[in-house]
Amino acid sequence: MTELKNLEAELDRFRLRIIAAVLFILLGFGLLVARMVHLQVVRYEDLANRAEANRIAVVPIVPNRGRIVDRNGVVLATNYTAYTLEITPSRVADLEATINKLAEFIDIQPRDRRRFKRQLDESKSFESLPIRNRLKDEEVARFIARRFQFPGVEIKARLFRNYPLGETGSHLIGYIGRINQAEKKAMEDWEDEAQANYRGTEYIGKLGLEQSYELDLHGTTGFEQMETSAGGRAVRRLDNLPATPGNTLVLSVDIKLQALVEEMFGARRGALVAIDPRNGEILAFVSKPTFDPNKFVDGIDVDNWRELNESIDKPLLNRALRGTYPPGSTYKPFMAMAALNAGKRSPSTIINDPGFFMFGGHRYGSPENERGGAMDMRRSIVESSNVYYYTLANEMGVDMIHDQLSPFGFGRRTNIDLEGEVTGVLPSQEWKRRTYKRPEQRKWYAGETISLGIGQGYNNFTMLQLANAMAILAAGGQRFEPRLVKEIEDVVTHQRRAVSSKALEPLALKPEQVNVIMQAMHGVTQQGTSTRIFVGAPYASGGKTGTAQAVGIRQNEKYSAARMAEHLRDHSLYVAFAPLDKPRIALAVIVENAGWGAAAAAPIARRVFDYVLLGHYPSEEDIALTQKGQSVAPVGTPRPAASVPLPSSSGPAATPEAPTGAAASAAAASAAASAGSMASRPAASAPAPSAARPRAMTLDVGPALRASGVRP
């Protein structure tokens, strides 16, 4: 009986264990079902989105940057495609060792290493940075054959900016460069849409029109959805939104005229601005010396930067926009116009010029070659009488001079479509009170007014301001905001939008008074200081020479250029317009430290007028003499401007704009080996919106591999 009881107890315990096990299993399955319901039902949308995000990589398609062309369609800025070798520092264990190993079969120069290090300091470790740009096909093939040895290193197809004419027009065109940390921080304040448009973009306009018209040139970023494998490799393209290329800027500048002026300056420093007074369009915008903007595209190396930045000639200074100079005697026609407008002088008022002017015990002199005598307004301009304008400045006073000449644009920005314009100085008593801190410096002294009449003293203006003022006078008071860009062409529709110069309220100048000044300036070219320059000109023009001090000299000291260092000698200036009856061009030109205005500046102006009005390009002999400051009227047989070729570039050779972008970017995102890429069709060839669809550019490495002796 006892044994039966024990068996029964064992069975009861067994049944309990079975029940417990079944309950445990049911509980486990219940938890699994509950979890499955939670994942498949409750969190389905969230997890599906995550899975889709893991499966699909959204890759930005950087648009082709818009082109820049001159008024005749000559290309000044375009793009070309090249392959770059790039490193993502966060994915490389030993950066230096990796670069050294790459250098065994790819040409990596010390300047490439310095540029990479500088960009590394300015960037985040997860960003891809180029160690070598513009790889040869053989170099691409060698790397692809060894790619498995270099995690974090890849080949990318990139669009590079190219300036086909090199240094020609560099100050007005500008250049692009990699976006630095300061610019990235500034972008954080942009609207979300604007920030999104720069995803994937590594370059931005840094100077000139590239900077001022950045939004027009950049275009609209597209995207591509790429399906990726578990390893992150791109499998196939699911969807895409094509990038829209940047628009084309059509300038009012004639780049051949620009190149001619730059050539005539030679090795000398200076600036020239030529404006159409009828509409404010700028025909030439020259600053010398120039620089090659192609050097900045990849990131300029230290040696080239030091050479440009530390040069005594300051080639990076845009002298037309930011260089300020005393205008010298080129100021006298404007002083005469101010006197007529204010009723201080009539054209027939006679002022005796004994060769000096005494004020407060100080002797204000005149040039030794000045004849002097009885001066009316016309003769004072033709013969450039200092005494006439000493007395005029004294009669008008500094504040009246300021109020009369400020409407001509002196001492204020012209609002040209370039950033960085300076105001210059048109002095007044209020200006001096604002500028200086010590009480004795803030007071305006009557003796300071005298030298203002001849364009010296505190007067300091840019060539842009002088040219703009000359254009206003030549147009009889009509004013415009100067413009370099004439039209913006939509790259897809090819429709052009005019960027007309803003017409300002005209100055209330009396035509008969304007005619007095213009006829007097015409007399300068017939009997005055620029007579020899305009001998034989088949058109009538007006002008005024000027010589401005670069440094002051003592009262009793005579100026001697031979005894002074070249950088301390007087500046040569000329302002002019042509033709006399219906002016089509007005200009201002300065040749730094070149002395007398008729010797260096006026000959350049004559040849600009011949080009614009006659279509003449100077002979090589004439250009050589002009470069030395030894020319007067043109010599030799002028050439038809259309027959003279444009200068060649010192930068990289331009290749056709090839599509680039998404596939290569997708490969970067997925660490794929493919060097193919996607992008919008080049700006010049996109006839319609549908034509802007990206198409792949693939790299056939077979021939290159065979040529390099590498087996894949």
Side-chain angles (χ1 to χ4, degrees), residues 354-386:
F356 63 90
F357 177 70
M358 298 297 299
F359 184 85
H362 184 86
R363 180 187 176 98
Y364 295 85
S366 297
E368 294 179 359
N369 60 346
E370 190 175 295
R371 288 184 292 177
M375 295 285 173
D376 61 8
M377 185 169 286
R378 183 183 187 280
R379 190 182 174 199
S380 75
I381 293 175
V382 171
E383 298 187 11
S384 198
S385 167
N386 278 4

mmCIF file of all heavy atoms in Angstrom, residues 354-386:
data_model
loop_
_atom_site.group_PDB
_atom_site.id
_atom_site.type_symbol
_atom_site.label_atom_id
_atom_site.label_comp_id
_atom_site.label_asym_id
_atom_site.label_seq_id
_atom_site.Cartn_x
_atom_site.Cartn_y
_atom_site.Cartn_z
ATOM 1 N N PRO A 354 49.265 134.014 -61.099
ATOM 2 C CA PRO A 354 50.680 134.410 -61.120
ATOM 3 C C PRO A 354 51.627 133.231 -60.914
ATOM 4 O O PRO A 354 52.848 133.417 -60.860
ATOM 5 C CB PRO A 354 50.775 135.384 -59.938
ATOM 6 C CG PRO A 354 49.753 134.867 -58.966
ATOM 7 C CD PRO A 354 48.624 134.291 -59.798
ATOM 8 N N GLY A 355 51.064 132.025 -60.790
ATOM 9 C CA GLY A 355 51.908 130.848 -60.587
ATOM 10 C C GLY A 355 51.948 130.377 -59.154
ATOM 11 O O GLY A 355 52.585 129.359 -58.850
ATOM 12 N N PHE A 356 51.262 131.109 -58.259
ATOM 13 C CA PHE A 356 51.196 130.674 -56.857
ATOM 14 C C PHE A 356 49.984 131.335 -56.207
ATOM 15 O O PHE A 356 49.396 132.283 -56.741
ATOM 16 C CB PHE A 356 52.482 131.059 -56.102
ATOM 17 C CG PHE A 356 52.705 132.543 -56.024
ATOM 18 C CD1 PHE A 356 52.212 133.306 -54.966
ATOM 19 C CD2 PHE A 356 53.399 133.212 -57.036
ATOM 20 C CE1 PHE A 356 52.405 134.675 -54.908
ATOM 21 C CE2 PHE A 356 53.599 134.578 -56.987
ATOM 22 C CZ PHE A 356 53.103 135.315 -55.920
ATOM 23 N N PHE A 357 49.623 130.808 -55.045
ATOM 24 C CA PHE A 357 48.497 131.351 -54.293
ATOM 25 C C PHE A 357 48.909 131.389 -52.829
ATOM 26 O O PHE A 357 49.356 130.374 -52.274
ATOM 27 C CB PHE A 357 47.251 130.476 -54.478
ATOM 28 C CG PHE A 357 46.065 130.922 -53.673
ATOM 29 C CD1 PHE A 357 45.397 132.093 -53.989
ATOM 30 C CD2 PHE A 357 45.605 130.161 -52.612
ATOM 31 C CE1 PHE A 357 44.290 132.506 -53.249
ATOM 32 C CE2 PHE A 357 44.497 130.565 -51.865
ATOM 33 C CZ PHE A 357 43.836 131.742 -52.191
ATOM 34 N N MET A 358 48.773 132.568 -52.227
ATOM 35 C CA MET A 358 49.155 132.735 -50.827
ATOM 36 C C MET A 358 47.912 132.696 -49.947
ATOM 37 O O MET A 358 46.912 133.352 -50.232
ATOM 38 C CB MET A 358 49.889 134.062 -50.622
ATOM 39 C CG MET A 358 51.194 134.173 -51.390
ATOM 40 S SD MET A 358 52.432 132.939 -50.882
ATOM 41 C CE MET A 358 52.674 133.374 -49.143
ATOM 42 N N PHE A 359 47.998 131.905 -48.865
ATOM 43 C CA PHE A 359 46.891 131.845 -47.911
ATOM 44 C C PHE A 359 47.468 131.514 -46.541
ATOM 45 O O PHE A 359 48.137 130.492 -46.360
ATOM 46 C CB PHE A 359 45.873 130.777 -48.312
ATOM 47 C CG PHE A 359 44.665 130.734 -47.412
ATOM 48 C CD1 PHE A 359 43.594 131.588 -47.638
ATOM 49 C CD2 PHE A 359 44.603 129.862 -46.334
ATOM 50 C CE1 PHE A 359 42.485 131.565 -46.798
ATOM 51 C CE2 PHE A 359 43.503 129.839 -45.497
ATOM 52 C CZ PHE A 359 42.439 130.693 -45.733
ATOM 53 N N GLY A 360 47.186 132.415 -45.591
ATOM 54 C CA GLY A 360 47.648 132.192 -44.218
ATOM 55 C C GLY A 360 49.153 132.042 -44.117
ATOM 56 O O GLY A 360 49.646 131.259 -43.289
ATOM 57 N N GLY A 361 49.881 132.778 -44.957
ATOM 58 C CA GLY A 361 51.330 132.708 -44.916
ATOM 59 C C GLY A 361 51.903 131.477 -45.597
ATOM 60 O O GLY A 361 53.122 131.275 -45.585
ATOM 61 N N HIS A 362 51.050 130.670 -46.209
ATOM 62 C CA HIS A 362 51.510 129.457 -46.892
ATOM 63 C C HIS A 362 51.407 129.671 -48.394
ATOM 64 O O HIS A 362 50.415 130.191 -48.890
ATOM 65 C CB HIS A 362 50.667 128.253 -46.464
ATOM 66 C CG HIS A 362 51.140 126.950 -47.039
ATOM 67 N ND1 HIS A 362 52.113 126.187 -46.439
ATOM 68 C CD2 HIS A 362 50.768 126.280 -48.164
ATOM 69 C CE1 HIS A 362 52.320 125.100 -47.161
ATOM 70 N NE2 HIS A 362 51.522 125.141 -48.221
ATOM 71 N N ARG A 363 52.428 129.245 -49.106
ATOM 72 C CA ARG A 363 52.464 129.419 -50.543
ATOM 73 C C ARG A 363 52.019 128.124 -51.223
ATOM 74 O O ARG A 363 52.638 127.076 -51.058
ATOM 75 C CB ARG A 363 53.886 129.782 -50.995
ATOM 76 C CG ARG A 363 54.039 129.981 -52.507
ATOM 77 C CD ARG A 363 55.517 130.152 -52.836
ATOM 78 N NE ARG A 363 55.751 130.250 -54.275
ATOM 79 C CZ ARG A 363 55.911 131.397 -54.927
ATOM 80 N NH1 ARG A 363 55.865 132.556 -54.281
ATOM 81 N NH2 ARG A 363 56.143 131.397 -56.229
ATOM 82 N N TYR A 364 50.941 128.198 -51.973
ATOM 83 C CA TYR A 364 50.451 127.052 -52.743
ATOM 84 C C TYR A 364 50.900 127.248 -54.187
ATOM 85 O O TYR A 364 50.509 128.208 -54.846
ATOM 86 C CB TYR A 364 48.921 126.964 -52.682
ATOM 87 C CG TYR A 364 48.389 126.675 -51.291
ATOM 88 C CD1 TYR A 364 48.181 127.713 -50.380
ATOM 89 C CD2 TYR A 364 48.097 125.381 -50.901
ATOM 90 C CE1 TYR A 364 47.704 127.459 -49.109
ATOM 91 C CE2 TYR A 364 47.610 125.114 -49.622
ATOM 92 C CZ TYR A 364 47.419 126.155 -48.731
ATOM 93 O OH TYR A 364 46.940 125.900 -47.475
ATOM 94 N N GLY A 365 51.747 126.336 -54.666
ATOM 95 C CA GLY A 365 52.384 126.532 -55.956
ATOM 96 C C GLY A 365 51.653 125.882 -57.115
ATOM 97 O O GLY A 365 50.608 125.246 -56.974
ATOM 98 N N SER A 366 52.220 126.057 -58.290
ATOM 99 C CA SER A 366 51.735 125.470 -59.533
ATOM 100 C C SER A 366 52.899 124.762 -60.204
ATOM 101 O O SER A 366 54.061 125.038 -59.897
ATOM 102 C CB SER A 366 51.182 126.555 -60.474
ATOM 103 O OG SER A 366 50.068 127.197 -59.897
ATOM 104 N N PRO A 367 52.629 123.850 -61.130
ATOM 105 C CA PRO A 367 53.726 123.196 -61.856
ATOM 106 C C PRO A 367 54.602 124.215 -62.571
ATOM 107 O O PRO A 367 54.123 125.271 -63.005
ATOM 108 C CB PRO A 367 52.989 122.295 -62.860
ATOM 109 C CG PRO A 367 51.653 122.059 -62.240
ATOM 110 C CD PRO A 367 51.316 123.329 -61.513
ATOM 111 N N GLU A 368 55.901 123.899 -62.716
ATOM 112 C CA GLU A 368 56.843 124.841 -63.323
ATOM 113 C C GLU A 368 56.511 125.137 -64.783
ATOM 114 O O GLU A 368 56.826 126.207 -65.298
ATOM 115 C CB GLU A 368 58.269 124.270 -63.219
ATOM 116 C CG GLU A 368 58.769 124.178 -61.780
ATOM 117 C CD GLU A 368 60.168 123.591 -61.703
ATOM 118 O OE1 GLU A 368 60.721 123.251 -62.765
ATOM 119 O OE2 GLU A 368 60.699 123.487 -60.591
ATOM 120 N N ASN A 369 55.843 124.188 -65.455
ATOM 121 C CA ASN A 369 55.549 124.397 -66.875
ATOM 122 C C ASN A 369 54.219 125.113 -67.088
ATOM 123 O O ASN A 369 53.784 125.297 -68.216
ATOM 124 C CB ASN A 369 55.541 123.055 -67.619
ATOM 125 C CG ASN A 369 54.487 122.102 -67.064
ATOM 126 O OD1 ASN A 369 53.953 122.340 -65.992
ATOM 127 N ND2 ASN A 369 54.209 121.027 -67.803
ATOM 128 N N GLU A 370 53.529 125.492 -65.997
ATOM 129 C CA GLU A 370 52.251 126.182 -66.137
ATOM 130 C C GLU A 370 52.501 127.636 -66.547
ATOM 131 O O GLU A 370 53.317 128.343 -65.941
ATOM 132 C CB GLU A 370 51.480 126.117 -64.810
ATOM 133 C CG GLU A 370 50.051 126.604 -64.935
ATOM 134 C CD GLU A 370 49.285 126.404 -63.637
ATOM 135 O OE1 GLU A 370 49.084 125.245 -63.244
ATOM 136 O OE2 GLU A 370 48.904 127.422 -63.025
ATOM 137 N N ARG A 371 51.758 128.100 -67.574
ATOM 138 C CA ARG A 371 52.007 129.431 -68.133
ATOM 139 C C ARG A 371 51.417 130.553 -67.284
ATOM 140 O O ARG A 371 51.954 131.652 -67.228
ATOM 141 C CB ARG A 371 51.443 129.507 -69.558
ATOM 142 C CG ARG A 371 52.262 128.703 -70.561
ATOM 143 C CD ARG A 371 51.736 128.866 -71.967
ATOM 144 N NE ARG A 371 50.430 128.255 -72.148
ATOM 145 C CZ ARG A 371 49.722 128.313 -73.268
ATOM 146 N NH1 ARG A 371 50.199 128.991 -74.306
ATOM 147 N NH2 ARG A 371 48.554 127.716 -73.363
ATOM 148 N N GLY A 372 50.296 130.315 -66.646
ATOM 149 C CA GLY A 372 49.680 131.351 -65.828
ATOM 150 C C GLY A 372 49.016 132.433 -66.665
ATOM 151 O O GLY A 372 48.787 132.269 -67.861
ATOM 152 N N GLY A 373 48.677 133.543 -66.008
ATOM 153 C CA GLY A 373 48.024 134.648 -66.691
ATOM 154 C C GLY A 373 46.546 134.692 -66.368
ATOM 155 O O GLY A 373 46.072 134.111 -65.378
ATOM 156 N N ALA A 374 45.778 135.392 -67.204
ATOM 157 C CA ALA A 374 44.341 135.556 -66.986
ATOM 158 C C ALA A 374 43.617 134.264 -67.378
ATOM 159 O O ALA A 374 43.720 133.803 -68.516
ATOM 160 C CB ALA A 374 43.819 136.731 -67.798
ATOM 161 N N MET A 375 42.859 133.719 -66.423
ATOM 162 C CA MET A 375 42.196 132.433 -66.634
ATOM 163 C C MET A 375 40.682 132.576 -66.550
ATOM 164 O O MET A 375 40.153 133.027 -65.525
ATOM 165 C CB MET A 375 42.648 131.424 -65.561
ATOM 166 C CG MET A 375 44.112 131.048 -65.621
ATOM 167 S SD MET A 375 44.440 129.913 -67.001
ATOM 168 C CE MET A 375 46.230 129.852 -66.939
ATOM 169 N N ASP A 376 39.996 132.206 -67.642
ATOM 170 C CA ASP A 376 38.562 131.990 -67.507
ATOM 171 C C ASP A 376 38.355 130.491 -67.276
ATOM 172 O O ASP A 376 39.312 129.717 -67.177
ATOM 173 C CB ASP A 376 37.803 132.495 -68.732
ATOM 174 C CG ASP A 376 38.204 131.777 -70.019
ATOM 175 O OD1 ASP A 376 38.967 130.777 -69.952
ATOM 176 O OD2 ASP A 376 37.756 132.211 -71.101
ATOM 177 N N MET A 377 37.121 130.057 -67.207
ATOM 178 C CA MET A 377 36.877 128.660 -66.835
ATOM 179 C C MET A 377 37.425 127.693 -67.881
ATOM 180 O O MET A 377 38.044 126.684 -67.530
ATOM 181 C CB MET A 377 35.379 128.421 -66.615
ATOM 182 C CG MET A 377 35.042 127.026 -66.106
ATOM 183 S SD MET A 377 33.326 126.888 -65.557
ATOM 184 C CE MET A 377 33.384 127.780 -64.010
ATOM 185 N N ARG A 378 37.202 127.987 -69.142
ATOM 186 C CA ARG A 378 37.672 127.067 -70.176
ATOM 187 C C ARG A 378 39.189 126.936 -70.149
ATOM 188 O O ARG A 378 39.733 125.828 -70.170
ATOM 189 C CB ARG A 378 37.224 127.548 -71.558
ATOM 190 C CG ARG A 378 37.617 126.590 -72.682
ATOM 191 C CD ARG A 378 37.218 127.130 -74.058
ATOM 192 N NE ARG A 378 37.459 126.125 -75.100
ATOM 193 C CZ ARG A 378 38.636 125.874 -75.643
ATOM 194 N NH1 ARG A 378 39.709 126.580 -75.244
ATOM 195 N NH2 ARG A 378 38.767 124.937 -76.577
ATOM 196 N N ARG A 379 39.878 128.063 -70.096
ATOM 197 C CA ARG A 379 41.344 128.022 -70.108
ATOM 198 C C ARG A 379 41.876 127.357 -68.845
ATOM 199 O O ARG A 379 42.913 126.686 -68.873
ATOM 200 C CB ARG A 379 41.907 129.441 -70.239
ATOM 201 C CG ARG A 379 43.402 129.440 -70.490
ATOM 202 C CD ARG A 379 43.999 130.826 -70.566
ATOM 203 N NE ARG A 379 45.452 130.740 -70.674
ATOM 204 C CZ ARG A 379 46.274 131.735 -70.402
ATOM 205 N NH1 ARG A 379 45.795 132.924 -70.016
ATOM 206 N NH2 ARG A 379 47.582 131.573 -70.513
ATOM 207 N N SER A 380 41.171 127.511 -67.717
ATOM 208 C CA SER A 380 41.636 126.902 -66.460
ATOM 209 C C SER A 380 41.644 125.384 -66.553
ATOM 210 O O SER A 380 42.470 124.713 -65.924
ATOM 211 C CB SER A 380 40.744 127.347 -65.300
ATOM 212 O OG SER A 380 39.477 126.688 -65.333
ATOM 213 N N ILE A 381 40.712 124.831 -67.352
ATOM 214 C CA ILE A 381 40.671 123.375 -67.540
ATOM 215 C C ILE A 381 41.667 122.946 -68.609
ATOM 216 O O ILE A 381 42.408 121.981 -68.427
ATOM 217 C CB ILE A 381 39.244 122.926 -67.899
ATOM 218 C CG1 ILE A 381 38.306 123.152 -66.706
ATOM 219 C CG2 ILE A 381 39.226 121.461 -68.323
ATOM 220 C CD1 ILE A 381 36.848 122.858 -67.002
ATOM 221 N N VAL A 382 41.709 123.679 -69.716
ATOM 222 C CA VAL A 382 42.608 123.313 -70.818
ATOM 223 C C VAL A 382 44.062 123.354 -70.363
ATOM 224 O O VAL A 382 44.849 122.443 -70.663
ATOM 225 C CB VAL A 382 42.388 124.249 -72.028
ATOM 226 C CG1 VAL A 382 43.454 124.023 -73.089
ATOM 227 C CG2 VAL A 382 41.001 124.049 -72.607
ATOM 228 N N GLU A 383 44.427 124.406 -69.629
ATOM 229 C CA GLU A 383 45.819 124.568 -69.202
ATOM 230 C C GLU A 383 46.052 124.093 -67.779
ATOM 231 O O GLU A 383 47.164 124.175 -67.260
ATOM 232 C CB GLU A 383 46.247 126.024 -69.361
ATOM 233 C CG GLU A 383 46.188 126.494 -70.810
ATOM 234 C CD GLU A 383 46.780 127.875 -70.998
ATOM 235 O OE1 GLU A 383 47.429 128.388 -70.058
ATOM 236 O OE2 GLU A 383 46.606 128.453 -72.094
ATOM 237 N N SER A 384 44.988 123.630 -67.114
ATOM 238 C CA SER A 384 45.074 123.044 -65.770
ATOM 239 C C SER A 384 45.679 124.016 -64.754
ATOM 240 O O SER A 384 46.675 123.734 -64.082
ATOM 241 C CB SER A 384 45.892 121.752 -65.808
ATOM 242 O OG SER A 384 45.663 120.981 -64.660
ATOM 243 N N SER A 385 45.036 125.174 -64.619
ATOM 244 C CA SER A 385 45.512 126.195 -63.690
ATOM 245 C C SER A 385 45.227 125.784 -62.242
ATOM 246 O O SER A 385 44.073 125.591 -61.849
ATOM 247 C CB SER A 385 44.825 127.537 -63.986
ATOM 248 O OG SER A 385 45.039 128.451 -62.938
ATOM 249 N N ASN A 386 46.273 125.674 -61.453
ATOM 250 C CA ASN A 386 46.081 125.379 -60.031
ATOM 251 C C ASN A 386 45.488 126.567 -59.285
ATOM 252 O O ASN A 386 44.599 126.413 -58.439
ATOM 253 C CB ASN A 386 47.415 124.990 -59.396
ATOM 254 C CG ASN A 386 47.769 123.533 -59.644
ATOM 255 O OD1 ASN A 386 47.058 122.825 -60.346
ATOM 256 N ND2 ASN A 386 48.879 123.088 -59.069
#
